[in-house]
Amino acid sequence: DQQVKQNSPSLSVQEGRISILNCDYTNSMFDYFLWYKKYPAEGPTFLISISSIKDKNEDGRFTVFLNKSAKHLSLHIVPSQPGDSAVYFCAASAEKSSGDKLTFGTGTRLAVRP
Amino acid sequence: ETGVTQTPRHLVMGMTNKKSLKCEQHLGHNAMYWYKQSAKKPLELMFVYNFKEQTENNSVPSRFSPECPNSSHLFLHLHTLQPEDSALYLCASSERLALEQYFGPGTRLTVT
């Protein structure tokens, strides 16, 4: 059973508009959440993270929101740029230093149209 | 070289072959990981090494054999694979077992 779910396999957004990528999880023990971005022929790269003591974390154009009661997090990209076109993976862990227990979603492919 | 490198980038092998995947990290990290990414599936953690000691083996079949001679190098030895083992194999490293991991570009493996 998948503990981290990204139910939208793809998303298309106009350049300059907001991109919202969603992620749901089932394990209430998860306390740390990350987003990774992956370009074709490259490995995933870390983008932004949030711990469960916060409900929002912002880094430039990227903001992650966490709703613990709904077991839901989302990544907002504002404004979206063509270079943001990539696959975005949501990941979660129950402990801060347990990289050996990181659980990933299946990814959402974002296409930003010029 | 910087970051995490993986060789080869592409590999086609028969079910009776033996081959090895290589990963090298130039980041001074202590932990290294092997992941498998199959189409439309989440990244699956296969093996974890922390300070050269294997800490995790997620019920991976014995036809996959990892080796970590030092903190900078990680190998995945392959033998008698099945067609369903065809996937992208990603190597990653991190400071100890930090969640922020640095990935290599992967090896696209096809088993015929």
Side-chain angles (χ1 to χ4, degrees):
Chain A
D1 183 37
Q2 269 184 256
Q3 299 186 63
V4 177
K5 299 178 183 178
Q6 294 178 257
N7 292 317
S8 298
S10 64
L11 175 69
S12 181
V13 170
Q14 190 75 38
E15 180 179 5
R17 307 293 288 267
I18 184 171
S19 295
I20 301 177
L21 297 102
N22 294 303
C23 179
D24 297 293
Y25 61 96
T26 57
N27 188 340
S28 58
M29 300 298 291
F30 285 150
D31 270 341
Y32 295 91
F33 305 88
L34 303 90
W35 286 93
Y36 280 81
K37 177 168 81 170
K38 184 181 185 301
Y39 291 120
E42 295 183 16
T45 56
F46 169 74
L47 189 58
I48 192 169
S49 65
I50 189 168
S51 76
S52 60
I53 61 173
K54 295 185 174 182
D55 54 17
K56 175 183 174 181
N57 189 25
E58 190 173 350
D59 183 2
R61 296 185 297 112
F62 302 89
T63 304
V64 57
F65 294 92
L66 175 63
N67 183 334
K68 280 203 73 178
S69 60
K71 295 192 178 66
H72 177 84
L73 66 155
S74 60
L75 175 68
H76 292 213
I77 307 174
V78 183
S80 301
Q81 299 173 353
D84 297 328
S85 298
V87 177
Y88 290 79
F89 293 97
C90 172
S93 176
E95 298 174 29
K96 189 174 183 181
S97 296
S98 59
D100 54 347
K101 302 282 189 293
L102 198 55
T103 303
F104 284 85
T106 51
T108 296
R109 183 178 301 277
L110 173 66
V112 180
R113 306 185 305 273
Chain B
E1 291 276 18
T2 59
V4 181
T5 58
Q6 290 186 244
T7 54
R9 296 293 308 274
H10 300 272
L11 179 62
V12 179
M13 59 185 289
M15 290 190 285
T16 58
N17 290 160
K18 288 185 181 181
K19 296 286 185 184
S20 295
L21 309 185
K22 179 183 176 182
C23 174
E24 184 173 0
Q25 59 95 2
H26 309 267
L27 300 167
H29 290 160
N30 310 110
M32 296 188 77
Y33 312 78
W34 279 117
Y35 285 90
K36 175 184 178 183
Q37 185 183 19
S38 304
K40 298 183 181 178
K41 287 189 175 181
L43 269 72
E44 301 171 51
L45 181 64
M46 300 175 72
F47 301 105
V48 181
Y49 280 83
N50 192 28
F51 290 92
K52 299 190 298 178
E53 297 296 319
Q54 186 174 322
T55 61
E56 192 77 20
N57 175 347
N58 279 350
S59 304
V60 179
S62 59
R63 57 185 183 269
F64 295 91
S65 174
E67 179 190 0
C68 187
N70 54 61
S71 293
S72 299
H73 293 85
L74 186 64
F75 295 89
L76 188 62
H77 304 299
L78 317 170
H79 64 97
T80 58
L81 293 192
Q82 305 298 311
E84 60 264 29
D85 296 323
S86 299
L88 180 68
Y89 289 85
L90 290 159
C91 173
S93 70
S94 71
E95 296 256 0
R96 294 189 174 86
L97 294 175
L99 300 180
E100 183 179 336
Q101 298 177 8
Y102 294 75
F103 285 82
T107 295
R108 175 68 62 185
L109 174 67
T110 303
V111 181
T112 60

